[in-house]
Amino acid sequence: MELILTGTGSPLPDANRAGPSTLVKAGDTHILVDAGRGVVMRMAGAGSLPGLLAGVLITHLHSDHICALNDVITTHWVMSQGNATLSIYGPAGTAEFVDRQLHALEPDIGYRMEHHDVLTNPPQVHVTELTPGDSFAVGGVQIATAATEHAPVRPTIGFRLEHDGSTAALVGDTVPCDGVDELARNADVYVQTVIRRDLVEIIPISMMQDILDYHSDVVEAAQTAERVGAKRLALTHMVPAPTPATYPEWVALVAEHYSGEVIIGDDLTTVTV
């Protein structure tokens, strides 16, 4: 199983980091987790495209994690010539969001159907709204879910993917909680969105201070990884985004609390488990 960090950015625009997303390749099964800005271009860079997706998993409905879902839907539709259904899994509210996206795309859908004879139907999308604790399979990948904590965003969920004896936890935006511990326990890789509390606290902008209470600090992520016995910790959605020159500083902070391997995510960083 390969995890490719197709977007390691945050809501803050960054020329080098697309919006939050991770592509999972398990044999011939491709699964996308979240769909932040630029995801389709990063998928191409990762050797995949929406037409190859077996499913899309959504952790929560914050815009930075879903703003390119319409691109995924449209590109999947066009690439399959309208003959395939895109399966999307997410928390309550996902179906309404997807429906509104399809309504927003109605002019484009009409233009393309008028222009291309092979497109006889609008995009076919099947949405499954999940309750924490649900489990299901996408292709040969077994997926478990648990509740995460990103209040006031509710509900939010994380995922644990298992394939051929390998496990990966992708939990999205959350503070440490029982659900994260459950998903990441003994995982081969635990992917966590993080902030640097020490750096955010000195940014004199009130909206930046607001993010302190609903994201895992890098130290908290390290402590979680150590507590649950995760073999590797991959950091993504880092705020403020580090430069390569400061990566050792981030790694050193983690190493004070975690004895496993630390991965600082750049876009298209690949982790094989």
Side-chain angles (χ1 to χ4, degrees):
M1 186 160 59
E2 288 185 333
L3 279 73
I4 305 167
L5 303 181
T6 38
T8 61
S10 70
L12 304 174
D14 188 321
N16 298 311
R17 298 182 184 274
S21 69
T22 303
L23 177 69
V24 179
K25 295 181 180 180
D28 294 331
T29 300
H30 292 198
I31 299 171
L32 185 67
V33 182
D34 287 338
R37 64 169 71 98
V39 64
V40 172
M41 291 185 292
R42 288 293 189 266
M43 286 183 68
S48 185
L49 287 168
L52 299 175
L53 289 174
V56 179
L57 313 181
I58 301 298
T59 61
H60 66 293
L61 298 178
H62 251 155
S63 62
D64 57 314
H65 289 253
I66 53 174
C67 64
L69 186 58
N70 61 352
D71 194 7
V72 174
I73 291 170
T74 300
T75 307
H76 178 273
W77 174 53
V78 171
M79 289 187 68
S80 70
Q81 297 188 6
N83 294 318
T85 298
L86 180 63
S87 295
I88 300 175
Y89 305 82
T94 302
E96 181 180 13
F97 175 79
V98 170
D99 186 59
R100 289 177 175 179
Q101 292 295 294
L102 291 170
H103 280 301
L105 290 166
E106 280 179 354
D108 176 75
I109 292 168
Y111 304 147
R112 295 184 189 280
M113 290 180 66
E114 182 177 352
H115 192 211
H116 302 291
D117 291 341
V118 297
L119 294 177
T120 58
N121 296 297
Q124 303 300 300
V125 181
H126 182 265
V127 178
T128 301
E129 292 195 339
L130 301 169
T131 299
D134 286 349
S135 60
F136 55 100
V138 175
V141 181
Q142 295 295 319
I143 302 172
T145 65
T148 56
E149 294 185 14
H150 191 47
V153 185
R154 300 183 183 91
T156 60
I157 56 176
F159 301 96
R160 180 183 176 97
L161 283 66
E162 300 189 11
H163 175 74
D164 284 351
S166 297
T167 58
L170 300 102
V171 302
D173 293 356
T174 179
V175 296
C177 64
D178 291 343
V180 173
D181 284 5
E182 176 185 338
L183 296 170
R185 191 168 309 282
N186 300 317
D188 292 299
V189 61
Y190 156 44
V191 182
Q192 179 64 68
T193 66
V194 293
I195 63 171
R196 277 277 301 272
R197 175 175 294 275
D198 59 322
L199 299 180
V200 173
E201 284 180 337
I202 61 176
I203 298 174
I205 300 172
S206 62
M207 290 184 70
M208 289 298 294
Q209 300 305 303
D210 291 341
I211 75 171
L212 291 169
D213 65 4
Y214 72 170
H215 284 290
S216 287
D217 172 66
V218 64
V219 170
E220 291 174 324
Q223 292 169 336
T224 295
E226 184 71 19
R227 181 172 61 253
V228 302
K231 297 179 179 65
R232 279 174 278 186
L233 170 61
L235 305 180
T236 188
H237 187 294
M238 294 164 284
V239 180
T243 63
T246 62
Y247 287 178
E249 181 181 315
W250 287 65
V251 172
L253 280 172
V254 173
E256 292 178 8
H257 304 274
Y258 174 58
S259 56
E261 180 184 352
V262 184
I263 299 163
I264 302 290
D266 290 314
D267 280 18
L268 299 182
T269 292
T270 299
V271 182
T272 302
V273 299

